[in-house]
Every structure is written in C-alpha cells, then in structure tokens.
C-alpha cells in the first residue's frame, strides 16, 4: 500500500525532482521506512523508482517529440542540460541524441 502511494506520488510529481525526504514527509513516514518498504516490495530504492520514471518520460519525449535535449531536461526538472545528458547516458547507456537517432532509425 505504501509503495503504491509512492508510485502515485511519483507519477504526479516526477518532473519536480523532489528529494526522497520530501516524498517520505508527504506520505507521513521517515525516509528510512520508505526505503525499507520499497526494497521489500519492488527491490528498488525510492530514488531508483524516481529515476526510472524520469528516464521513461525522457525516452518517450526523445522518440515521439520534437523538443531539444535541453528542453526535455528542463521539462523533467533538471536545471542543467549537461547534467540531464549525463543522467540519461548513465541509465540508458547512450546519450540522449544517440538514443533519439537510434530509435528513429528502427522505425
């Protein structure tokens, strides 16, 4: 139940890139308890859950949208386009521009 509430909150607020402590506070629990619940139920940290949702949205924007890489980063709550590109590359294995080119070449 707690993890489901976190998922719902993430879905509503992932673009804000709020710290885990903020999510825990909003759910009325400690960040330690939130981490333990997530590890027990989904075998991921709350931070990984947030990052996973941001990556999914970035991939959608890169495949189906026309925004620049910087605009996608800003829309996802990243203040620095370079940081967004590093974040994306670390999690996907490709820089955003290469991911976009690859996804468009397979259509």
């Amino acid at each position: 139940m707690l993890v489901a509430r976190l998922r719902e909150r993430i879905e509503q607020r992932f673009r804000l890139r709020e710290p885990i402590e903020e999510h825990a506070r909003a759910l009325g629990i400690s960040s330690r308890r939130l981490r333990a619940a997530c590890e027990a139920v989904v075998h991921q940290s709350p931070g990984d859950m947030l990052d996973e949702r941001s990556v999914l949205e970035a991939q959608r924007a890169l495949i189906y949208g026309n925004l620049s890489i910087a605009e996608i980063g800003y829309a996802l709550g990243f203040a620095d386009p370079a940081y967004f590109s590093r974040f994306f590359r670390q999690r996907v294995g490709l820089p955003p521009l290469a991911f976009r080119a690859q996804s468009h070449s397979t259509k």
Side-chain angles (χ1 to χ4, degrees):
M1 182 68 162
L2 178 59
V3 176
R5 288 175 39 220
L6 175 61
R7 282 188 192 269
E8 183 178 318
R9 183 171 167 77
I10 288 171
E11 189 61 35
Q12 294 169 355
R13 303 176 65 87
F14 69 92
R15 287 181 172 85
L16 301 175
R17 306 254 344 131
E18 295 171 322
I20 298 307
E21 293 75 20
E22 181 64 30
H23 291 283
R25 191 173 17 263
L27 295 170
I29 60 168
S30 69
S31 55
R32 176 180 269 182
R33 183 163 172 232
L34 181 59
R35 283 184 181 93
C38 290
E39 289 291 342
V41 175
V42 295
H43 310 290
Q44 283 186 307
S45 71
D48 287 343
M49 292 172 65
L50 283 163
D51 288 349
E52 189 176 87
R53 182 61 183 93
S54 292
V55 167
L56 175 63
E57 195 64 26
Q59 288 173 320
R60 287 177 178 165
L62 289 164
I63 293 170
Y64 301 111
N66 294 319
L67 295 176
S68 71
I69 305 305
E71 290 170 323
I72 292 169
Y74 292 137
L76 292 174
F78 290 86
D80 180 4
Y83 179 72
F84 167 69
S85 290
R86 284 191 304 275
F87 165 86
F88 188 88
R89 184 179 62 242
Q90 287 172 344
R91 283 153 185 83
V92 177
L94 291 171
L97 200 54
F99 178 85
R100 175 178 271 165
Q102 182 181 36
S103 67
H104 289 188
S105 70
T106 60
K107 285 186 175 181

